[in-house]
Amino acid sequence: MGGQTALNVGIELANAGDLERRGVRVLGTPIDAVVKTEDREVFSEILKQIGETLALSYPARTVDEAKRAAAKIGYPVLVRAAFTLGGLGSGFAENEAELVEIAEAALTHHSGAAAPQILIDQDLRGWKEVEY
């Protein structure tokens, strides 16, 4: 098991006290660090505290909120359905008409969720990722 599923299960086991109760030691990234990186607001604040920049990103629960977020960022933007695997409901919007189309589809697809949400992100196509 790996990826997001492993992170979610690990966090739940830690929160329930199961890891400690069974004497399980987490190797690699501590659970607390995983939790901080999973919460966008907390992670953003930590990066600001250490002087790191990050791509602009705003959550939206309605098409109007998505429009306001895109206006703050500037087009093109990446529209991502929150809390989904495999990019379902995501796409790049070059303008407001495309944003509305993608946002409506993503929000409609996830309307059964407790809190349907999309993320409007700064377009990072062409950027290079460096891991160290």
Side-chain angles (χ1 to χ4, degrees), residues 7 11 17 34 37 47 61 75 88 92 101 118 130:
L7 294 176
I11 290 168
V34 173
T37 61
L47 289 178
R61 296 190 191 284
Y75 289 95
L88 187 63
F92 288 97
E101 181 180 337
I118 55 176
V130 178

Side-chain angles (χ1 to χ4, degrees), residues 9-113:
V9 169
I11 290 168
E12 289 301 316
L13 289 171
N15 288 343
D18 290 328
L19 298 180
E20 185 176 347
R21 195 169 27 260
R22 290 173 172 76
V24 175
R25 194 174 120 235
V26 174
L27 302 176
T29 306
I31 295 288
D32 182 55
V34 173
V35 170
K36 287 177 182 172
T37 61
E38 290 289 303
D39 185 317
R40 290 181 164 275
E41 290 181 48
V42 171
F43 187 64
S44 175
E45 187 56 39
I46 291 169
L47 289 178
K48 286 179 189 172
Q49 288 174 9
I50 63 172
E52 287 295 327
T53 58
L54 73 154
L56 297 174
S57 179
Y58 299 98
R61 296 190 191 284
T62 67
V63 173
D64 284 338
E65 286 181 8
K67 288 180 185 179
R68 286 193 294 274
K72 288 181 192 176
I73 295 170
Y75 289 95
V77 295
L78 172 60
V79 181
R80 296 187 300 126
F83 313 114
T84 64
L85 299 174
L88 187 63
S90 301
F92 288 97
E94 300 291 333
N95 53 52
E96 188 174 289
E98 291 180 5
L99 171 76
V100 169
E101 181 180 337
I102 297 167
E104 284 178 346
L107 289 167
T108 300
H109 181 75
H110 297 292
S111 62

